[in-house]
Amino acid sequence: MLEHTSLEEHDVYLFHQGNLRYSYQLLGSHLETYDGQSGVRFAVWAPNAVQVSVVGDFNQWDGRENPMTKMNDNGIWHAFIPDLERGTIYKYEILTPHGHLQLKADPYAFSSELRPNTASVVYPLREYKWNDEEWMKKRQATNIYESPMSIYEIHLGSWKYIEPEVFYTYREYADMVIPYVKELGYTHIELLPLTEHPFDRSWGYQATGYFSVTSRYGTPDDFRYFVDQCHQNGLGVILDWVPGHFCKDSHGLRRFDGEPVYEYANPSKAEKTQWGTLTFDFDRNEVQSFLISNAIYWLKEYHLDGLRVDAVASMLYLDFGKEEGAWELNEYGGRENIEAVSFIKRMNEAIFEEAPNVLMMAEESTSWPLVSAPTYIGGLGFNYKWNMGWMNDMLKYMEMDPIHRKYHHNLITFSLMYAYSENFVLPISHDEVVHGKKSLLNKMPGDYWQKFANLRLFLAYMYAHPGKKLLFMGGEFGQFDEWKDLEDLDWELLEYESHASTLSYVKQLHQVYQDLPALWELDHKEEGFFWIDANNFEQSIISFVRNSRSSNDQIVVVCNFTPVVYHDYKIGVPRHGCYQEIFSSDAEDFGGSGQTNGLPLQTTPEPWQGQDQHITMTIPPLAVSFLKRSSSTKEDKS
């Protein structure tokens, strides 16, 4: 029988207090040597179980062979089974208080069988030899708020596959994805959830194995290789993470020992009716240890650079996705889930203590205040929030025929009213190009040329707008069809000039973005932006300035949301001198009409649009121009 040391007893105490941040080291399956014998130590929390056994091929799935021992009255069962090795397949056989036997996968398993099989797999925690020390040191010293951040969101299985439901491995994806994303100039890759899940079409958002990287693409060390290679190539890795709910599959967390353990006992709080899933019991200490440890596990054991936390609003509100009468008020008469709010704050505090300088991004779709503010001033403690309001407004605007855009001008300007209330990411994610919403390119109005021009316009405005950037795969080359999760991307489109030019455009846009500190250095400070003209709704033209810490890096941005060309158009500018058009989305190389400003634009000392100077320029159709002042005299350079 395995004896527990005083340190382990202390860990058990912390686990039940909700304070064990590395509970995966206590629970689960671990290769160990005990009394000179090598084998596997198993431990599982099943407080209501009458008996628990470890079963697998090694004992013909016979629960009488390897019963576990209950450790005092704390609900933790443990056993040491000699001679078991890496790769052992197992489950827990649990006798419930109702007299039923059920087989459950290990909630803390590090690996799982390939679906449709559902057993857990013994896998060592730390055998992989990392080679990303340089990246990890650089990450620690980087000011993430004042650095460029452009995220490529990807679903591995439908980025490229061998054939339907047959995928490449993490290592093979590393060899294909990383050079592609690096060449385009992105700074980060964001992966849709990779925790083990039974159903491909849930895209990973309905998980069963929270500590188990999905076996669809290989082993845990294969995934570590993917992350390692990203880091060695200068790319950060963010993982979508889903602490809000879990699926009801019989081998998973639902009624784990015959009673609600991981989910709320109250059905009105437990049921996520919109998705057919169950909500974690955020008030239960052991569940807090489970979830907080899980977040830390991905950040520490896989060297991930951040987590994008899915569906935060579904955690914050008791009535989320529910009809009237199907939910209950909290103890203060409100609709907020008080325990979830407390958990989120506690989670973020723990994460930033254990893994400083990582990214914790909230997908929070309401106006909950201070999502990306520290907990000590009343915030939820994330450091970024997805700007869903900007996304909804801009896609609604861009889908309009340009002739109607002047009547909805506020949709492109309103976001600046709240742009500095949070640290925002501007997301064009998978959710916006699926379920009949059309691809990003196909949302755009007009003929073939205008669709591509509108796409270039939208992307340039997005990169000029305050906030970090995220674009879902396929958008970078103008995929015409919306995301088809059972197929891979339409790579054959790159044989056509318009799509190849769009890919080249995104690459050039990233180069310009990274080269211009004004487009990212003061993303989260009001002094990083001011309007030149926000009110020209008649022509649907806006102009503004992006600032960096150096006044010499100031960028003037002019956007025209109609297909009309304007010559000799006056734009107010903040300083005298010559302005050079350093980027135009209408350049012929990108498939544009070539209505660019090739010659320097000399200022005229006459006030215009609230500025002391102005320039006269050509405004290209459905396009964005970036202008930068070039010093022409010694006085100018001072």
Side-chain angles (χ1 to χ4, degrees):
M1 188 60 60
L2 178 66
E3 297 178 358
H4 288 268
T5 66
S6 59
L7 176 63
E8 289 170 330
E9 289 173 355
H10 183 61
D11 287 347
V12 170
Y13 171 79
L14 292 176
F15 173 71
H16 291 296
Q17 291 295 310
N19 293 322
L20 188 60
R21 296 177 176 179
Y22 293 84
S23 59
Y24 59 88
Q25 296 177 358
L26 172 71
L27 299 167
S29 60
H30 297 266
L31 291 161
E32 292 186 358
T33 300
Y34 177 69
D35 279 351
Q37 283 189 297
S38 61
V40 178
R41 171 176 66 83
F42 297 90
V44 62
W45 176 58
N48 301 298
V50 175
Q51 180 58 55
V52 183
S53 299
V54 186
V55 295
D57 290 340
F58 58 89
N59 62 12
Q60 292 74 52
W61 299 88
D62 187 341
R64 295 170 297 181
E65 292 294 317
N66 297 104
M68 303 180 80
T69 301
K70 192 174 184 179
M71 184 179 178
N72 300 323
D73 295 321
N74 55 38
I76 294 179
W77 300 76
H78 62 90
F80 178 80
I81 305 178
D83 301 324
L84 297 188
E85 299 177 342
R86 168 187 180 146
T88 297
I89 295 171
Y90 71 99
K91 281 188 177 180
Y92 295 119
E93 181 186 89
I94 298 174
L95 178 62
T96 75
H98 311 291
H100 300 137
L101 279 178
Q102 58 186 29
L103 291 176
K104 290 288 188 177
D106 188 347
Y108 285 87
F110 301 142
S111 184
S112 302
E113 284 189 295
L114 177 63
R115 53 95 175 95
N117 295 329
T118 58
S120 301
V121 180
V122 174
Y123 200 91
L125 184 60
R126 292 180 184 143
E127 283 191 352
Y128 183 83
K129 304 300 182 185
W130 289 92
N131 294 289
D132 64 346
E133 184 178 357
E134 182 179 345
W135 169 271
M136 298 297 279
K137 286 182 178 178
K138 179 182 176 183
R139 188 185 81 181
Q140 194 61 30
T142 298
N143 182 334
I144 57 175
Y145 306 106
E146 297 186 3
S147 300
M149 188 187 301
S150 179
I151 304 165
Y152 186 74
E153 188 190 36
I154 182 171
H155 176 255
L156 282 180
S158 58
W159 188 78
K160 189 177 288 186
Y161 59 37
I162 299 171
E163 60 184 70
E165 299 185 2
V166 180
F167 309 115
Y168 293 101
T169 68
Y170 292 112
R171 292 175 184 265
E172 290 170 327
Y173 278 122
D175 293 340
M176 294 183 290
V177 172
I178 294 171
Y180 178 80
V181 176
K182 182 180 179 181
E183 175 71 15
L184 285 176
Y186 286 93
T187 64
H188 291 74
I189 293 174
E190 180 174 321
L191 299 154
L192 267 62
L194 292 176
T195 47
E196 194 57 80
H197 52 285
F199 184 44
D200 286 6
R201 302 205 71 184
S202 79
W203 315 329
Y205 289 98
Q206 297 189 10
T208 49
Y210 271 74
F211 288 84
S212 178
V213 66
T214 181
S215 52
R216 285 168 176 80
Y217 315 119
T219 69
D221 281 352
D222 290 338
F223 181 51
R224 289 185 174 95
Y225 174 87
F226 180 93
V227 177
D228 200 358
Q229 290 298 308
C230 283
H231 287 172
Q232 291 181 52
N233 283 276
L235 291 169
V237 184
I238 302 164
L239 182 66
D240 271 18
W241 184 59
V242 191
H245 61 119
F246 57 89
C247 63
K248 296 181 178 180
D249 291 58
S250 60
H251 68 282
L253 301 178
R254 180 176 182 262
R255 291 189 171 271
F256 185 75
D257 58 11
E259 298 290 341
V261 173
Y262 287 91
E263 70 270 33
Y264 283 111
N266 181 346
S268 72
K269 295 180 75 172
E271 293 287 341
K272 278 279 201 304
T273 52
Q274 184 176 0
W275 299 316
T277 55
L278 292 169
T279 306
F280 282 102
D281 184 349
F282 300 112
D283 198 35
R284 190 157 193 169
N285 289 338
E286 295 86 354
V287 173
Q288 293 191 35
S289 284
F290 174 83
L291 288 173
I292 292 172
S293 293
N294 186 243
I296 291 171
Y297 167 81
W298 290 108
L299 296 167
K300 301 287 278 190
E301 304 300 336
Y302 286 89
H303 289 203
L304 294 179
D305 302 285
L307 300 174
R308 176 268 196 183
V309 183
D310 180 64
V312 172
S314 78
M315 302 165 68
L316 295 174
Y317 297 100
L318 296 167
D319 63 341
F320 181 90
K322 295 181 179 179
E323 297 180 0
E324 190 171 349
W327 59 281
E328 301 172 10
L329 296 170
N330 65 33
E331 60 190 283
Y332 302 107
R335 64 191 186 101
E336 300 81 12
N337 186 331
I338 296 170
E339 308 98 72
V341 174
S342 177
F343 160 74
I344 289 170
K345 292 180 178 181
R346 189 176 188 182
M347 171 192 74
N348 282 322
E349 289 171 353
I351 286 170
F352 287 118
E353 287 179 12
E354 298 293 333
N357 232 33
V358 296
L359 300 164
M360 287 298 293
M361 298 178 166
E363 186 225 4
E364 201 289 302
S365 55
T366 74
S367 56
W368 189 283
L370 302 177
V371 171
S372 58
T375 58
Y376 60 79
I377 62 170
L380 290 182
F382 294 97
N383 52 12
Y384 276 97
K385 174 182 175 175
W386 275 24
N387 194 335
M388 309 295 280
W390 172 88
M391 176 272 296
N392 283 311
D393 285 351
M394 282 306 302
L395 292 184
K396 181 179 179 180
Y397 182 83
M398 293 304 300
E399 288 187 75
M400 295 176 184
D401 187 302
I403 199 170
H404 300 303
R405 287 176 177 170
K406 67 180 180 180
Y407 303 111
H408 304 275
H409 192 72
N410 63 300
L411 291 175
I412 54 171
T413 59
F414 179 67
S415 58
L416 273 303
M417 298 293 289
Y418 61 87
Y420 303 102
S421 62
E422 302 276 3
N423 299 325
F424 279 123
V425 173
L426 309 181
I428 301 299
S429 74
H430 65 281
D431 275 333
E432 315 321 320
V433 294
V434 74
H435 298 324
K437 296 179 184 177
K438 298 186 290 189
S439 72
L440 189 57
L441 176 64
N442 220 12
K443 291 177 190 288
M444 303 299 162
D447 59 24
Y448 186 81
W449 184 89
Q450 288 180 340
K451 280 183 175 294
F452 282 95
N454 270 301
L455 178 60
R456 293 191 301 270
L457 159 64
F458 171 71
L459 291 174
Y461 176 62
M462 174 182 177
Y463 275 71
H465 189 288
K468 309 309 182 186
K469 327 299 176 186
L470 179 142
L471 183 65
F472 184 57
M473 64 183 196
E476 74 277 10
F477 61 81
Q479 172 131 336
F480 256 115
D481 286 346
E482 69 176 17
W483 177 38
K484 306 177 291 291
D485 55 52
L486 294 180
E487 301 178 30
D488 55 6
L489 295 180
D490 296 333
W491 295 105
E492 65 275 9
L493 291 176
L494 289 174
E495 298 174 12
Y496 297 90
E497 184 177 356
S498 294
H499 298 277
S501 295
T502 299
L503 189 70
S504 176
Y505 171 74
V506 170
K507 177 182 176 181
Q508 185 61 34
L509 181 60
H510 275 125
Q511 186 63 59
V512 171
Y513 171 67
Q514 297 226 14
D515 287 346
L516 299 177
L519 297 182
W520 41 262
E521 194 172 53
L522 299 177
D523 260 335
H524 312 302
K525 297 183 182 297
E526 292 189 26
E527 56 266 33
F529 176 98
F530 67 83
W531 286 110
I532 295 173
D533 184 11
N535 302 316
N536 186 357
F537 65 90
E538 283 289 351
Q539 295 172 304
S540 298
I541 294 175
I542 58 173
S543 53
F544 54 88
V545 169
R546 291 300 308 275
N547 286 320
S548 72
R549 296 199 178 279
S550 169
S551 61
N552 289 327
D553 290 329
Q554 196 174 65
I555 302 298
V556 173
V557 180
V558 184
C559 308
N560 178 11
F561 291 93
T562 73
V564 180
V565 181
Y566 296 95
H567 298 287
D568 300 321
Y569 190 96
K570 292 167 68 173
I571 294 286
V573 291
R575 301 175 67 190
H576 78 280
C578 286
Y579 281 78
Q580 190 78 42
E581 185 177 68
I582 59 173
F583 180 80
S584 171
S585 67
D586 193 48
E588 290 182 355
D589 288 348
F590 306 140
S593 65
Q595 297 291 322
T596 57
N597 295 272
L599 298 176
L601 306 171
Q602 181 65 48
T603 57
T604 300
E606 175 183 292
W608 191 255
Q609 296 173 330
Q611 308 300 313
D612 293 335
Q613 313 284 324
H614 73 265
I615 56 175
T616 301
M617 64 178 292
T618 295
I619 303 290
L622 295 173
V624 177
S625 298
F626 293 171
L627 309 171
K628 186 175 182 181
R629 177 180 172 273
S630 57
S631 300
S632 57
T633 68
K634 186 175 182 180
E635 181 182 352
D636 290 337
K637 296 176 182 179
S638 60

